[in-house]
Every structure is written in structure tokens, then in C-alpha cells.
Amino acid sequence: MSLDSTQRAATVAALQAETWDLLVIGGGITGAGIALDAAARGMRVALVEMQDFAAGTSSRSTKLIHGGLRYLKQLEFGIVREVGRERAILHRNAGHVVIPEKMLLPIVKGGTFGRLGVQIGLWIYDRLAGVKRRERRVMLSRDETSRLEPWLRRIGLKGAGLYSEYRTDDARLVIEVMKTACTKGAVALNRAGVKGLLYEQGHIVGAQIADAFSGEQFEIKARAVVNAAGPWVDGIREKDNSLKGKRLHHTKGVHLVVPRERLVVEHGVYFDVGDGRMIFAIPRAFWTYFGTTDTNYTGPLEHPAVTAADVDYLIGAVNRMFPRAELDASMIESSWAGIRPLIHEDGKSPTQLSRKDELFFSASGLITIAGGKLTGFRKMAEKVVDVVSKRLGDGGAQPWGKCTTHKITLSGFDFFSSNVEEGFAHRVALQTMIKLEEVEWMVSLFGSNTWAIVHLAGGIDRLSILKGTVRYCIRHEGVTTLSDFFVRRTAMLYFGRKWIADSLATTKAIFAEEFGMDYDSDPGGVFAEEYRRAVEFE
Ligand code: FAD
């Protein structure tokens, strides 16, 4: 069943029509990955998400698929090896959203890493992560570094290491995984929150769902239930009366976006703040974004705020490393804050907490997955689905085989049908007469699904393309609100806020055409508030 928001009633009916093998709670990268893995093995899978897909942490990260150099510093070799190798797999299966990016690690006087440390560290990193020979790290002298990144501070600069990582669009990665899960038979619904859990003889057998779209409630029955609610997992464990032992420790991470000309970086730069922490500055189209902070967090989990203190911290760090930037708060184009769902360890500071994932098993049968990284989602899913598969197979034939997601091409990367991805945008532009820059925008977000948008657009001008994109997102990507469209499907709120004003009236008109004239595309004024918060800090 596709993620067609105009057919929600049919999706709700389908969710109630059978007892599922697996119900997944949470539509971030962890839940989406589990749904894909399980559906690909042949399980009947249902997934519910109380907000929009990826509206939690999975649209608020640094947007890197990375091996985690910081883990090397913490001597967590296992994580470095596993997530390092994952990068290549994700690039192979979803090359339109997982894109190679060279990173620069400057070596500065008094910095975290000395020249020898960088040389050895990146050497180990490349080998653990299985990086191809020609992509392995290169050590640069001070002058070479300055030539490559002229805005870097010269004083105290000793050189740099240039190494390979991958960048992504986290929310788009989630939606492509979710769409692929649906093509394998999973049924997923957003704006559908778990309000209560269902039990028979003490064993969990499903959940009570509140549908924020229709205002109705319904039940989903399942033989196994997985809690993949990210920062909210303890809330679900509480409902299950199983919140004992280890708990989550929430920390907040903030990113700021400025126009590219305000902070010119040619590569992603991973640099010292000066307080023992390191942050990234990453170029993306006409912008550079930088972050992150890492502070303890106890506030509301939905829509965490960026504060003036967060802004001061990040701007201060950038201005020290890139003195030419002379940034101030008025130059910020946009921002976001995300909550890390880490596992609490007594006496450790936010930065020292491990990013490892962990499974919790409750007496009721609820399986919870906590912690982890965007990058490692496929392996996390494999671990969870192996457990579910064993449990469901208990005492009978085991119909489900092994994980196959390493071989599954994600939605949007079906370029094999048109040869190779290179030149795809040019070919579409040539065949349709749509301006190349418009096609490139679509391809950067939707990959090979650009063709479906072109067909829905019904014209080749910018407005037609916008209309086609909104229709595509409503009919194929579960979009029901302005926030879904502008924040998570197109990232316009973060990278291109100025275009929202031009697009708003047309976007609302398409929502009215698809859902009816009285339709409220910004329920509760959530998008208006998100828009304000992107540039106004508490
Ligand atoms: P979420 O994305 O939060 O998904 C959980 C979902 O469950 C939410 O959408 C929520 O609405 C839903 N939910 C909650 N309760 C209910 C309910 N009752 N009913 C239904 N649904 C419910 N990792 C990387 O690999 N690379 C990075 O560059 C990176 N950078 C990061 C930077 C920051 C600042 C942060 C905070 C994290 C970063 N991470 C990064 C980590 C990564 O983003 C997270 O590990 C990952 O996104 C967590 O995904 P998740 O699906 O577990 O949680």
C-alpha cells in the first residue's frame, strides 16, 4: 500500500483488517529501517507515526552518513568499523541521498588532534571502514590547507587531513526507506499515535491508535510489537509498565544555516571549538550549515527550541576558526534543534555518552530499540528483526530468512532503467524542455522519481513543477501538512526559506484540490510556528 494521503481511510481500514506479524511504533529512521527489513523477509508489517515520518530526531541531525571519527577518539572501534562499512552499502543502494563528501580535519596548535594523531587516526579509520584505496586520507601541509580552504584561520594552523565521508538528507532518507518498505508490503501511517497498548494474558498484542487526521481512534493487532520511538521510547516503556533499569538521557544538538557567501567552505570541515568539542561546517548548495551543540535536555521533546546561548556558542566557534566570516545572529538564514536519544551512564557528560544502540526486552513481550545513529539504521534493524523472527517462529516452522536489505535499492535510485545516474538530470531536461536547474532540484530530492513529478506537473514552468511536486508528495510520500512538505520532503525551511513565500499560495491551493476546499493544511499553526522559530531564538 503506497503512502497516499488521499487514501488514508483505506489505509486505516487495512491496518484494522488483520493481525499483523509486527507493529512498529515510530516512523523515524529506526522504525522505517525495521519495517523495510521485516517486510522484505515476508513479514506482515504495520507502522504508526504520531507526527510526520522523520519529524523527530531523524530530520534534525548533522545529515552525515559517517564512520564517526569521534568514536575513534573514544576507542569505540566496533562502532567505527560497523558504521564505516555501512556508508558504502547505503551509497550503493541510495546514491541519490547518500553522497560522497570530502571532509577536512584541520590540525591546529592546542587542538584535539596533533599531526601524528590525525595521520594515524585517519589511517585506522580508513582501514576499519574499508575505504577504497583511491579515496583514503591525504595529509596536507599548512599552505596546501590554506589554498584548499582560504577562509580557515592561518594563525596556529599546522596542516590538515582530508578524508572521505558521505552526506545525506536525513528526512529524505527516511521517506525513501519507508516508501521501499511499502513496496514490499508494509503499511505505514503518519499522524497516528499510540495512546495505549493492548494485552492478552499479560502479553502485548497491539496498540490503540489516535488518528490526528480524522480525530478517530482505532486498534491495531499484532503478534509482535517493537518500540522504535527514538527520544520517546521511555514513554512507551512507561505505558508498558516496564520502565526499569537503563533509561534514556536526552541531549540537544543545534545547527545554524547561513548563506554560502557568509561562510565559504569548499569541503565539510570538522574543527575544534576550543572546549574539547568538535563541530562541523558543511556546504550545501547556496548555504553552509554548522553544528552541533551537545547539552543536557529536559524540555518538551517535540519542537525543541534553539536558544540565544546555542547561537552564541556556535557563532563564536565559527568566528574563531574562520575569522573572515565575522558572523552574527542577524545573518542566520535558518536553524534546527534535535534531541539525541542516548542511553544514560552515571557520571558521564553529554559528549562522553556512547552512541551505541541497545535492545530492551519487557515481560509483556514489548521490544524496545534505543540509542544508535542514522548511519547504523540498517544493522540496527537487522538485529531487531532477527529477534522478532526468532520469537514468531517459536515452536513452529521458521518462514523468515535472513536480512536482505544490503541488496535492496531504495526508492528514487532506480537509475538502472535509464542506464546510469550520471547525466540523468540533463537527459530529463533535454527530453522535457524543463530548465536544467529545476530538474536538478527535483533530482537532488527525489532521484529517479523525478519522472513521476514531471508527469504530475502538466507543464514545464517553475509553478507547474511546484504543483507536481506537492501532488507527488501528497500521493506518494504521506504529506498532509505544509510542515511535512516544506520541512521534511523538500527541506525548504532550512535551505531556501526565501522561496517559501513564493510557493505558499500555490502549495495551499494544491492541498485544497487534493483534500477539499475546507482543508486545514497547517493544523494548530505548527508550520507558522516552525517558520518563526527557525530565525527567532529564545
Ligand atoms: P526519531 O527520528 O526521533 O523517530 C522516533 C519517532 O517515533 C518520532 O518520529 C516520533 O514522533 C515517533 N513516536 C514517538 N512516540 C510515538 C507514539 N506514541 N506513537 C507513534 N509514534 C511515536 N546520526 C548520524 O548517523 N549522522 C549524523 O550526522 C547525526 N547527527 C546528529 C545530530 C544531532 C543534533 C542529533 C540529535 C542526532 C544526530 N545523529 C546522527 C543521530 C541520529 O539522528 C539519530 O540516532 C536517529 O535519527 C534516531 O532515529 P529514531 O528513529 O530512533 O528516532
Side-chain angles (χ1 to χ4, degrees):
M1 205 157 204
S2 72
L3 295 174
D4 184 348
S5 294
T6 66
Q7 303 297 318
R8 272 185 75 97
T11 306
V12 171
L15 286 169
Q16 296 173 84
E18 63 182 280
T19 297
W20 300 85
D21 292 321
L22 173 63
L23 170 62
V24 181
I25 305 171
I29 193 65
T30 309
I34 293 168
L36 174 61
D37 188 317
R41 295 194 207 195
M43 285 185 200
R44 298 289 299 149
V45 186
L47 180 146
V48 284
E49 162 55 53
M50 71 175 177
Q51 309 180 79
D52 178 31
F53 302 121
T57 307
S58 299
S59 55
R60 298 155 182 273
S61 76
T62 309
K63 307 182 193 302
L64 289 176
I65 297 297
H66 59 155
L69 209 50
R70 66 189 294 281
Y71 308 124
L72 198 59
K73 203 175 137 204
Q74 293 167 349
L75 304 179
E76 298 198 74
F77 296 119
I79 300 194
V80 178
R81 175 194 295 274
E82 185 172 291
V83 295
R85 287 173 194 251
E86 274 305 292
R87 303 178 311 176
I89 296 175
L90 295 180
H91 173 59
R92 193 179 66 219
N93 294 343
H96 63 307
V97 275
V98 179
I99 297 157
E101 171 86 36
K102 282 282 176 207
M103 284 279 171
L104 192 88
L105 181 63
I107 303 157
V108 294
K109 194 163 171 242
T112 306
F113 297 102
R115 190 168 185 90
L116 194 62
V118 170
Q119 205 156 3
I120 296 171
L122 291 180
W123 187 90
I124 297 173
Y125 188 63
D126 279 346
R127 269 135 195 98
L128 282 176
V131 174
K132 287 185 203 136
R133 194 174 288 270
R134 64 173 185 280
E135 290 166 13
R136 286 184 187 161
R137 65 105 170 90
V138 179
M139 296 303 294
L140 302 175
S141 69
R142 181 178 191 237
D143 286 347
E144 285 168 332
T145 307
S146 287
R147 270 199 296 278
L148 215 57
E149 294 293 352
W151 281 42
L152 264 181
R153 188 184 61 199
R154 284 276 291 176
I155 299 167
L157 183 67
K158 294 174 160 183
L162 191 66
Y163 65 106
S164 298
E165 291 283 22
Y166 294 83
R167 67 185 156 86
T168 189
D169 181 315
D170 43 12
R172 287 232 47 94
L173 180 63
V174 173
I175 200 72
E176 301 296 21
V177 174
M178 198 75 81
K179 281 155 71 184
T180 312
C182 291
T183 63
K184 305 273 175 207
V187 176
L189 190 69
N190 54 0
R191 298 185 70 191
V194 166
K195 291 292 153 205
L197 299 168
L198 304 174
Y199 298 90
E200 276 173 19
Q201 290 153 3
H203 194 267
I204 192 160
V205 292
Q208 230 163 20
I209 311 298
D211 181 352
F213 189 85
S214 66
E216 285 169 10
Q217 300 224 351
F218 63 95
E219 290 184 351
I220 299 179
K221 296 277 178 56
R223 298 165 65 209
V225 180
V226 167
N227 172 12
W232 292 263
V233 288
D234 282 354
I236 300 285
R237 292 168 76 205
E238 217 160 14
K239 285 189 206 305
D240 183 57
N241 281 325
S242 57
L243 184 53
K244 300 176 189 109
K246 287 189 178 175
R247 281 156 202 259
L248 282 197
H249 183 132
H250 294 133
T251 77
K252 186 180 79 169
V254 166
H255 291 86
L256 305 177
V257 185
V258 292
R260 185 88 181 261
E261 65 271 17
R262 294 281 187 196
L263 177 57
V264 178
V265 286
E266 295 304 322
H267 306 86
V269 181
Y270 186 39
F271 62 95
D272 281 280
V273 175
D275 60 359
R277 294 196 61 249
M278 295 187 72
I279 64 175
F280 290 98
I282 300 169
R284 176 164 160 164
F286 307 112
W287 296 271
T288 302
Y289 65 97
F290 49 94
T292 168
T293 58
D294 196 1
T295 49
N296 286 323
Y297 185 76
T298 53
L301 296 177
E302 282 158 60
H303 312 297
V306 175
T307 65
D310 297 325
V311 171
D312 284 351
Y313 177 84
L314 290 175
I315 282 187
V318 166
N319 285 340
R320 281 192 296 280
M321 190 49 89
F322 302 92
R324 269 169 79 175
E326 295 183 14
L327 293 182
D328 66 53
S330 71
M331 297 166 188
I332 296 168
E333 177 92 6
S334 194
S335 67
W336 66 88
I339 304 299
R340 296 181 188 83
L342 306 177
I343 296 159
H344 181 77
E345 294 170 73
D346 281 340
K348 289 210 171 165
S349 72
T351 310
Q352 289 167 331
L353 287 171
S354 167
R355 268 59 176 166
K356 269 189 219 149
D357 56 272
E358 203 162 326
L359 291 181
F360 302 134
F361 302 101
S362 91
S364 71
L366 178 74
I367 300 165
T368 295
I369 170 106
K373 297 280 293 173
L374 192 77
T375 309
F377 82 89
R378 211 189 53 79
K379 293 301 282 182
M380 284 163 71
E382 177 177 357
K383 221 184 306 180
V384 171
V385 179
D386 280 349
V387 171
V388 173
S389 172
K390 265 191 207 126
R391 282 200 183 171
L392 293 182
D394 214 357
Q398 165 54 282
W400 296 292
K402 290 201 160 90
C403 169
T404 58
T405 51
H406 57 289
K407 294 186 288 199
I408 297 176
T409 300
L410 295 190
S411 166
F413 201 53
D414 297 328
F415 290 107
F416 59 85
S417 55
S418 52
N419 236 330
V420 276
E421 71 200 89
E422 277 159 39
F424 178 79
H426 280 91
R427 221 168 22 252
V428 176
L430 215 66
Q431 285 179 27
T432 59
M433 308 295 283
I434 298 172
K435 273 193 190 153
L436 182 61
E437 63 186 75
E438 310 280 357
V439 179
E440 281 175 341
W441 176 75
M442 287 187 278
V443 174
S444 73
L445 296 169
F446 302 94
S448 53
N449 290 319
T450 294
W451 274 122
I453 296 175
V454 168
H455 288 131
L456 287 168
I460 62 169
D461 57 299
R462 181 170 273 200
L463 212 60
S464 301
I465 303 291
L466 174 67
K467 287 179 183 173
T469 308
V470 180
R471 275 194 219 287
Y472 177 81
C473 289
I474 291 173
R475 294 185 198 172
H476 299 276
E477 297 201 338
V479 159
T480 62
T481 71
L482 292 176
S483 173
D484 303 347
F485 181 73
F486 286 121
V487 184
R488 289 168 294 277
R489 301 306 181 279
T490 60
M492 250 192 248
L493 180 67
Y494 304 140
F495 307 103
R497 206 168 47 89
K498 60 185 179 205
W499 296 323
I500 293 180
D502 296 342
S503 318
L504 202 55
T506 305
T507 305
K508 283 183 174 172
I510 299 298
F511 272 95
E513 279 179 36
E514 296 284 319
F515 294 111
M517 287 314 286
D518 297 335
Y519 186 70
D520 179 6
S521 53
D522 189 20
V526 168
F527 177 61
E529 179 62 11
E530 273 178 301
Y531 189 93
R532 186 188 66 74
R533 279 174 166 223
V535 279
E536 285 177 25
F537 310 113
E538 288 182 0

